[in-house]
Amino acid sequence: MPRGRAGARAPRSRLGLSRCRSSEIVLSPAILLSALLNGLLTGAVYALIALGLTLIYGVLHIINFAHGALLTAAMFAAYFAFKTFHLDPYVAVFLLTPAFFVLGYALQRFVIGPASHGDDRNMLLVTLGLAVIIENALLFEFRADTRTIELPYAFATINLGFTFLAVPRILGLVAAFVVAAVLWLMINLSDIGRAIRAVAKEKLGAQLVGVDVAHVYAVTFGLGTACIAVAACLLVPTYYVNPTAGNAFVLVAFTIVVLGGMGSIPGALIGGFVTGVVESLSGLFLGESLGQIGIFLTFIFVLLVRPRGLFGAGA
Amino acid sequence: MKVFAPIVVVVILLAAIPVVVHSNVVLNFLVVALMVALAGQGWNILGGYGGQYSFGHAAFFGTGAYVTAVLQARYGINAWTAFMLGILGGAVVGAVIGTLSFRSGLRGSYFALVTLAFAEVLRIVASVAPITGAGVGTLVRLDLRLAALQFESRAAFYWVILTLVAVALIVTRIVERSRFGAWLIAIRENEDAAMALGVDTTAIKLGAMVMSAAITAAAGCFYTQYFLFVDSGIAYGTWISIEALLTPIIGGIGTLFGPLLGALAVRTLGELAQSITGDAPGLDLVVFGCVLVLVVWFLPRGLAGAVAGIAQRLRQTERVSTAREAGHG
């Protein structure tokens, strides 16, 4: 996880060289395995964020640059739900998810859709504009202060003998699978799911047979935003909240979406886990601040070599 | 020569400002606005004329800024040489990113993403690498001499940045009127069609990228000379990526004076927002974001397009009324 609360600030090792040497000495299978497991657990939250992004890309064919800012907004919502109404984040998730669905629906239906006149490049710019607005409105309102909430179980762990696994992260893993399953069922079995698939494949054709494309676009955007609300509620117990907190995740989510194939749900899940592990391992070898470079380099590499991703149909 | 006449007029008018205005606040405002305009002029070549939307022009701005700063502070190289090498450095980074992404056929969203990622990689590297001063940043020694490209008066800095903007305007005009520019616009309008007609799209896009990167890098070099300090958040931060694309889009994408117009408009709005709310951070950027969305929504051709539209409508009504009069007569 980028700059987690526990490892507040990564030591500025000289390009991680000193770190590298020390880790070679103590590198044992147990450490590798625990890094691997923790990477998988982190990857679950990444996967959730990426699920929303990939869904929006798969149908609207745009990259939603407001994804990170919306995640930050959801984290603030979860934070204030706890501070003001003493709602546990794991309870708040059931309120925030529908609320963010409505927010996402409204944003696409009444702002992004009309503002971009159906042009992809305009959609990129509008979502970028929204990201700037949301992020800086939060900065203006709450300043750059970093906030955290105290929960009795935030640091609860399960002892596996050779390593400890954090309980909130295990919950994240479960939630990622539940959300992915619900989304998959919805898209494959429900009527709106059929409409979404139709629009994703052939927008004009869907319109001709009577599908309300603007509505389907907005529903998809709403679903993507709802995924973010789930991820935010899972993050808040162990992560800090500030006006740029979401950004660290969203570039990672872009990587995952590209890695897994734009628009592919299983791709987002698997891509999330792979990325979590890559980050965890490169953090182990290179030091924490350079650990993120591992992700970006993977990202650039995948974009350049196989832009349609591991599971994507075509770029 | 006629095609350069508007540039000459605008530059002479702008150059006269410090003769009349002596307020340091106003001059400082104009220097920063012109610097952002220069970064936007770079973006405009690739994004405005070529249709390739980069979300990571900070990669070039930052490289220009860092090369200029590090060469002076660490290696004692003359400021003018460092400035030129900074521009060259930006162009090289542009060539590398361009070669990698255009060769693998990245377009649209993918291109925007990969540029963003490159800028982030550079930011993280700059925040830990010892040569850039890591998290502390790099300071350039105060040395108010022409040889060190530092001036005591804001007016001198203003004329330096204005000269750079003028050069960029001339380059843009030449591109606009050249065969290269025609190919570039063809790529923007329909890349597949351009390719089918025999345009070497990869080479043209790469050329535009290098040119674009060099101009934006010049803005970064100027930043270092003006503020004498860079760190990774300033040099490779997202703020400059956003302002570089905001100014041409608001001013008029793919137009000669768009970035200049947009930079003045955006900066004025930012200052207004700041003066209303005091020192609270963020509100100016909220205004920028709203302006971006509203311009895309209601003025797809930006301010320059709106002005041209109004002028055209006036001309049309005139023509209609004269035609009517002629008809009646």
Side-chain angles (χ1 to χ4, degrees):
Chain A
M1 209 167 285
R3 282 177 285 129
R5 198 201 294 174
R9 243 173 187 255
R12 271 191 210 104
S13 53
R14 294 197 153 205
L15 277 168
L17 288 179
S18 53
R19 268 289 194 91
C20 197
R21 217 168 296 131
S22 64
S23 60
E24 266 165 30
I25 300 165
V26 290
L27 206 57
S28 66
I31 290 179
L32 261 184
L33 193 62
S34 99
L36 203 73
L37 280 175
N38 273 308
L40 282 176
L41 294 184
T42 308
V45 178
Y46 287 164
L48 262 178
I49 300 166
L51 271 177
L53 204 57
T54 205
L55 191 65
I56 294 172
Y57 185 86
V59 179
L60 280 75
H61 303 294
I62 57 143
I63 288 167
N64 174 20
F65 278 94
H67 213 65
L70 284 167
L71 175 66
T72 316
M75 285 165 81
F76 267 100
Y79 172 82
F80 281 107
F82 180 79
K83 281 287 167 185
T84 321
F85 304 108
H86 303 289
L87 267 182
D88 191 292
Y90 294 108
V91 179
V93 69
F94 295 102
L95 296 172
L96 286 179
T97 307
F100 270 77
F101 173 81
V102 174
L103 174 71
Y105 185 95
L107 271 181
Q108 167 61 31
R109 185 95 202 218
F110 304 115
V111 180
I112 303 172
S116 52
H117 312 288
D119 181 275
D120 287 358
R121 272 180 257 180
N122 284 345
M123 262 196 221
L124 281 182
L125 295 176
V126 174
T127 56
L128 183 73
L130 283 177
V132 174
I133 295 170
I134 296 170
E135 189 181 300
N136 288 288
L138 290 170
L139 179 67
F140 177 67
E141 188 61 34
F142 304 113
R143 300 302 162 93
D145 304 344
T146 291
R147 296 149 201 261
T148 54
I149 60 176
E150 301 300 329
L151 288 167
Y153 51 79
F155 294 101
T157 51
I158 294 173
N159 190 351
L160 290 185
F162 61 92
T163 184
F164 294 93
L165 294 181
V167 171
R169 289 173 146 203
I170 295 175
L171 285 174
L173 182 71
V174 175
F177 278 110
V178 170
V179 170
V182 168
L183 273 182
W184 192 86
L185 287 174
M186 196 175 153
I187 285 175
N188 284 294
L189 300 178
S190 73
D191 278 349
I192 184 71
R194 196 171 302 125
I196 288 175
R197 276 182 290 143
V199 172
K201 274 235 160 61
E202 180 52 59
K203 186 174 121 190
L204 195 63
Q207 207 160 15
L208 281 174
V209 296
V211 175
D212 181 353
V213 172
H215 174 71
V216 168
Y217 270 13
V219 167
T220 312
F221 206 91
L223 286 175
T225 316
C227 289
I228 288 179
V230 179
C233 290
L234 294 171
L235 276 173
V236 161
T238 55
Y239 201 73
Y240 61 83
V241 184
N242 74 20
T244 51
N247 289 354
F249 293 95
V250 86
L251 268 164
V252 178
F254 284 145
T255 317
I256 295 164
V257 169
V258 170
L259 192 66
M262 297 257 192
S264 155
I265 289 180
L269 264 187
I270 296 168
F273 291 125
V274 169
T275 310
V277 171
V278 166
E279 187 192 56
S280 173
L281 291 182
S282 54
L284 187 66
F285 288 108
L286 299 173
E288 211 175 304
S289 50
L290 281 177
Q292 276 203 51
I293 287 196
I295 295 191
F296 288 121
L297 293 180
T298 316
F299 172 58
I300 292 170
F301 180 76
V302 172
L303 261 185
L304 297 178
V305 175
R306 196 178 157 83
R308 82 193 88 110
L310 304 173
F311 299 87
Chain B
M1 251 0 255
K2 208 179 150 195
V3 293
F4 296 110
I7 299 177
V8 174
V9 173
V10 167
V11 170
I12 288 176
L13 283 178
L14 284 174
I17 290 177
V19 180
V20 190
V21 183
H22 296 287
S23 153
N24 264 348
V25 179
V26 174
L27 284 181
N28 185 45
F29 165 80
L30 286 172
V31 168
V32 174
L34 286 183
M35 185 184 77
V36 171
L38 186 62
Q41 283 176 311
W43 191 92
N44 197 30
I45 299 243
L46 183 68
Y49 292 97
Q52 311 299 312
Y53 284 17
S54 151
F55 282 12
H57 257 50
F60 316 131
F61 181 90
T63 305
Y66 264 124
V67 169
T68 311
V70 170
L71 285 182
Q72 285 182 77
R74 283 185 185 266
Y75 301 101
I77 288 174
N78 174 269
W80 293 80
T81 319
F83 200 101
M84 294 302 157
L85 289 175
I87 296 177
L88 188 68
V92 169
V93 170
V96 171
I97 299 178
T99 310
L100 288 173
S101 43
F102 294 137
R103 281 241 171 146
S104 17
L106 298 184
R107 293 181 189 181
S109 303
Y110 288 92
F111 179 69
L113 263 181
V114 84
T115 49
L116 187 78
F118 271 112
E120 274 298 295
V121 167
L122 288 172
R123 186 182 63 75
I124 297 173
V125 170
S127 72
V128 292
I131 190 167
T132 58
V136 186
T138 302
L139 263 169
V140 177
R141 209 157 46 85
L142 186 69
D143 181 8
L144 298 173
R145 287 181 304 133
L146 180 64
L149 198 51
Q150 293 178 25
F151 310 98
E152 198 164 358
S153 81
R154 302 267 156 131
F157 271 118
Y158 175 81
W159 284 316
V160 169
I161 187 73
L162 184 62
T163 309
L164 290 170
V165 168
V167 170
L169 281 173
I170 291 168
V171 168
T172 310
R173 184 53 121 193
I174 293 171
V175 166
E176 253 182 358
R177 300 185 53 82
S178 67
R179 180 169 283 257
F180 170 79
W183 283 331
L184 196 59
I185 292 170
I187 290 171
R188 175 186 72 195
E189 295 305 323
N190 190 333
E191 190 166 342
D192 294 322
M195 208 187 293
L197 288 172
V199 177
D200 185 349
T201 55
T202 310
I204 299 294
K205 284 194 288 185
L206 188 59
M209 180 100 169
V210 171
M211 221 183 265
S212 171
I215 295 174
T216 302
C221 301
F222 180 82
Y223 182 96
T224 299
Q225 287 311 114
Y226 190 60
F227 293 101
L228 298 178
F229 173 74
V230 277
D231 70 14
S232 60
I234 296 170
Y236 290 120
T238 40
W239 71 278
I240 189 68
S241 294
I242 289 173
E243 292 212 13
L245 71 90
L246 200 61
T247 49
I249 286 168
I250 286 176
I253 188 162
T255 61
L256 179 62
F257 290 111
L260 195 56
L261 206 59
L264 290 172
V266 163
R267 278 281 141 190
T268 312
L269 271 171
E271 289 294 319
L272 280 180
Q274 284 290 17
S275 67
I276 290 167
T277 58
D279 263 349
L283 200 75
D284 52 339
L285 280 167
V286 172
V287 174
F288 291 179
C290 293
V291 170
L292 174 59
V293 173
L294 291 176
V295 165
V296 172
W297 200 332
F298 299 108
L299 294 176
R301 285 159 64 221
L303 292 176
V307 172
I310 292 168
Q312 198 180 2
R313 213 170 298 157
L314 282 179
R315 230 174 292 141
Q316 265 171 1
T317 40
E318 216 168 87
R319 213 174 296 146
V320 167
S321 55
T322 35
R324 240 181 236 148
E325 272 163 33
H328 283 296

